[in-house]
Amino acid sequence: MSEIEKTVPAKPAGKKAAGKEGVGGTVRVFVEALIIALVVRTLLFQPFEIPSGSLIPTLEIGDYLFVSKFSYGYSRYSFPFGIAPFSGRILGSLPTQGDIAVFKGPKDNSTDFIKRVIGLPGDTVQVIEGRLYINDKIVERQPIEPYRTRDFFGNPIDAPQYIETLPNGVQHRVIEIEGDRGGFDNTPKYEVPPGHVFMMGDNRDNSADSRDMNSMGYVPVENLEGKAQVIFFSIDDRSSFWKVWDWPWAIRWNRLFTGIH
């Protein structure tokens, strides 16, 4: 038998190793991407979908927005599932009156809500005949054109709309579906305790907020998750994000990449 005949054909060098490296590299890239996404979501920006109409006309059902996680510092509620190696709040700061903030509901500390900051620690807040009072002073309210929306039964209506100017000069729009005779248009005087904020929706007659002590009440500052910054996507609430075939006529193009005030 010749030397050539006795030689066993060699397997391609490094083929098995290359295969293992290919799988391992894919897994490594996936894990790295997951870690980066987790860090961004926890420390920088988190996407949030508007599920209800409590902030109409500022935010509509079907708006998707980015929330800055660093605006008020970090607590355990800044982390997924409330997992954090510390208690209290680090790098913390109080929100500004008028901010729209995402927070964990104080009744279960797990449900996400989004409302506007109306009262800070030490403030008094009251609503009398539909008018907002902060620290016993009426908040300026200027009527503008009615806002087309839907009532509690889904019927289209033109709701009274106003520009409200908070004591620090922040202006925002509010609507009153029931005029100044809604369920929370006359309230007791609330005194915001230390370490808490008072939250309200801009849709004043259709918002479960701090005016309702049974369902929400005062919100601990520790429960704040971040400040709403920009709408990056918006789709009619009769459609859905995943229904891409509806996008051409369901997307609210005029709301994309607009700042939130």
Side-chain angles (χ1 to χ4, degrees):
M1 184 177 288
S2 68
E3 186 70 22
I4 295 176
E5 292 174 321
K6 292 192 295 182
T7 302
V8 177
K11 295 181 179 179
K15 184 176 182 180
K16 186 174 182 181
K20 288 184 177 179
E21 178 63 26
V23 174
T26 300
V27 172
R28 184 173 65 252
V29 169
F30 176 78
V31 171
E32 289 174 349
L34 188 63
I35 292 173
I36 291 172
L38 184 62
V39 169
V40 170
R41 183 186 182 280
T42 301
L43 301 179
L44 299 177
F45 294 96
Q46 177 181 344
F48 189 83
E49 177 189 359
I50 300 301
S52 72
S54 68
L55 277 166
I56 293 173
T58 307
L59 296 176
E60 296 275 359
I61 299 172
D63 283 347
Y64 291 76
L65 48 93
F66 283 123
V67 174
S68 58
K69 301 296 289 293
F70 49 83
S71 294
Y72 310 129
Y74 305 96
S75 73
R76 64 189 180 96
Y77 299 113
S78 304
F79 294 79
F81 311 111
I83 299 173
F86 61 89
S87 60
R89 200 167 194 89
I90 61 174
L91 303 176
S93 61
L94 283 175
T96 298
Q97 194 176 56
D99 284 358
I100 291 181
V102 173
F103 58 95
K104 295 294 185 185
K107 298 303 180 182
D108 62 10
N109 294 319
S110 62
T111 305
D112 287 323
F113 290 89
I114 182 167
K115 307 286 181 186
R116 189 179 296 276
V117 179
I118 294 297
L120 299 175
D123 286 341
T124 63
V125 178
Q126 187 174 16
V127 181
I128 302 174
E129 296 183 352
R131 298 300 302 272
L132 177 62
Y133 290 75
I134 298 177
N135 296 326
D136 298 320
K137 294 182 179 179
I138 192 169
V139 172
E140 181 183 341
R141 190 180 77 172
Q142 179 67 35
I144 57 175
E145 71 281 355
Y147 191 82
R148 191 68 171 176
T149 186
R150 291 195 286 271
D151 64 14
F152 301 113
F153 305 101
N155 301 313
I157 61 168
D158 291 321
Q161 181 179 204
Y162 306 89
I163 292 180
E164 202 170 66
T165 304
L166 297 174
N168 63 351
V170 171
Q171 292 186 325
H172 62 100
R173 294 182 296 157
V174 300
I175 61 172
E176 295 272 8
I177 291 177
E178 297 184 294
D180 289 333
R181 300 178 301 278
F184 285 99
D185 278 338
N186 285 283
T187 72
K189 183 184 293 186
Y190 305 99
E191 297 184 7
V192 186
H196 293 72
V197 289
F198 194 94
M199 313 294 288
M200 290 177 64
D202 294 344
N203 190 351
R204 290 290 165 78
D205 294 329
N206 191 20
S207 174
D209 51 40
S210 292
R211 292 173 292 176
D212 187 351
M213 288 290 153
N214 292 322
S215 66
M216 182 172 293
Y218 307 113
V219 176
V221 172
E222 184 181 6
N223 286 38
L224 296 176
E225 297 179 76
K227 178 183 177 182
Q229 297 284 6
V230 64
I231 299 170
F232 68 86
F233 188 78
S234 182
I235 192 165
D236 190 283
D237 60 351
R238 290 166 291 186
S239 184
S240 299
F241 180 86
W242 57 270
K243 293 181 178 179
V244 294
W245 54 88
D246 282 351
W247 282 15
W249 51 85
I251 290 178
R252 303 181 183 116
W253 299 100
N254 63 318
R255 297 183 67 81
L256 303 191
F257 304 106
T258 57
I260 299 170
H261 306 287

